[in-house]
Amino acid sequence: MARGLFPGTASGFVRRFAGLAGGYWSGRDHWSVRPLAVALLALTVGQVSVPVMMNLWSQRLFDALEQRAMDRLPVMAAAAGGILLFNIAVTVAHLWVKRRIQFGWRVWLTRRLVGDWVSGGRELALPSRPGDHDNPDGRIAEDVRVVTELAVDLGHSLTYCLLLLVSFAGILWRLSGVVQVGFGGVSLAVPGHLLLLALAFAAAGTTAALAVARPLVRAAERRQGLEADFRFGLARVRENAPIIARQQGEAVERGRLALLFGGVRRGWERQTGALARVMAFGASYSVLSAVFPILVVAPRYAAGAITLGVMMQTAQAFQQAVAALSWPIDNLATVAQWTASVERVLGLKEALDGITPLPPVKADASGFVSDGGNTARKR
């Protein structure tokens, strides 16, 4: 059962996942995969540069409005247009590269699992093996897709947030200046107080979100298992349709499918309840993160220490830093879904690795093949 975001220890989970899917990055096609990864990183840097440019643009715009310098507006509009075009180009290119990597990874892992499953009689021996490896077809068709697509999505979003944090931490540190804090008759100079507040705000929010969303991981894992059971039940009816019709077992099969779908309903409702708690917290947190920095900076603007543009720039920089630090909150549901799928694929791979393949079938001169000496058949 999953605990926290990852089952067992995070390091152990990462090692198991790397053993499962890491070969894609070091295999024979690495010469084409790695340049795509480098391009994806470069385009992510380009994506981060857009909010940084917009932050500087916002500061100059609000300063111009405060000074009623309307002659600057055409220049500001042209600058906004340039940022817009740059953002479109980077976004489209990033999407293309990311999807190339995602599908290529899925192709590699699917071939690996199908090759392990449909070889050496493993497809016949698998159902009798103990462990969590039911519905191998569903795990290969659906869970492999989730594993590879979400791994790239999560890796990109985490890299984006780290770069965003570094960028706006520097801006916040510069805009904070040095604040004198009095305590017990002693005045202490505190640099970068806005950055410290952003870190504290995000840390408190992340801690609370993890406590609220802990049941979501288990709910997501359980629901995916129930969905797979239902798909397997439907596939069983399709494969055995002639026997079911001949024995007039439709009513029994309908009852069995109804029970399986009842499990799907319960899994859905349980996940909905967990998601509702996470969404309620996220909605509250997003409003607070927008209001809090303005309330913090407003006294300095009212005192004439900063301009309107600097106040808006500071508030936006605070929001961007908090958003970057809130990656765990924003991706709890996605991480839960990805973790559950990784565990299902790992369960199948580990079960297949534990099966000793049957020896290859040999043919004699007469054209008959033997499966170990017990039977013989025409090739």
Side-chain angles (χ1 to χ4, degrees), residues 362-369 378-379:
K362 297 179 180 179
D364 58 21
S366 65
F368 285 84
V369 295
K378 187 72 173 179
R379 186 174 59 180

Side-chain angles (χ1 to χ4, degrees), residues 147-162:
V147 165
T148 52
E149 288 185 8
L150 293 191
V152 176
D153 284 338
L154 289 169
H156 160 252
S157 65
L158 180 59
T159 303
Y160 177 87
C161 286
L162 289 174

Side-chain angles (χ1 to χ4, degrees), residues 140-196:
I140 294 174
E142 180 63 16
D143 288 303
V144 167
R145 180 190 65 80
V146 173
V147 165
T148 52
E149 288 185 8
L150 293 191
V152 176
D153 284 338
L154 289 169
H156 160 252
S157 65
L158 180 59
T159 303
Y160 177 87
C161 286
L162 289 174
L163 293 173
L164 194 69
L165 176 61
V166 171
S167 301
F168 282 97
I171 294 174
L172 273 181
W173 185 273
R174 176 175 56 83
L175 294 176
S176 297
V178 179
V179 175
Q180 298 295 327
V181 178
F183 181 77
V186 178
S187 181
L188 181 65
V190 179
H193 70 285
L194 291 173
L195 178 58
L196 297 177

Side-chain angles (χ1 to χ4, degrees), residues 232-265:
F232 182 76
L234 293 171
R236 179 182 174 276
V237 171
R238 183 189 69 241
E239 294 169 358
N240 296 279
I243 299 175
I244 294 171
R246 187 165 55 249
Q247 297 180 353
Q248 297 183 347
E250 291 92 344
V252 175
E253 294 302 326
R254 285 198 303 270
R256 183 180 289 112
L257 291 176
L259 287 175
L260 291 173
F261 194 72
V264 172
R265 180 189 297 275

Side-chain angles (χ1 to χ4, degrees), residues 172 174-179 193-194 294-307 310-311 314:
L172 273 181
R174 176 175 56 83
L175 294 176
S176 297
V178 179
V179 175
H193 70 285
L194 291 173
I294 295 178
L295 296 177
V296 171
V297 180
R300 295 179 65 193
Y301 172 71
I306 58 175
T307 65
V310 172
M311 184 182 78
T314 303

Side-chain angles (χ1 to χ4, degrees), residues 273-308:
L275 279 171
R277 289 189 290 273
V278 172
M279 295 297 290
F281 178 84
S284 303
Y285 186 78
S286 64
V287 173
L288 286 175
S289 63
V291 172
F292 182 73
I294 295 178
L295 296 177
V296 171
V297 180
R300 295 179 65 193
Y301 172 71
I306 58 175
T307 65
L308 177 63

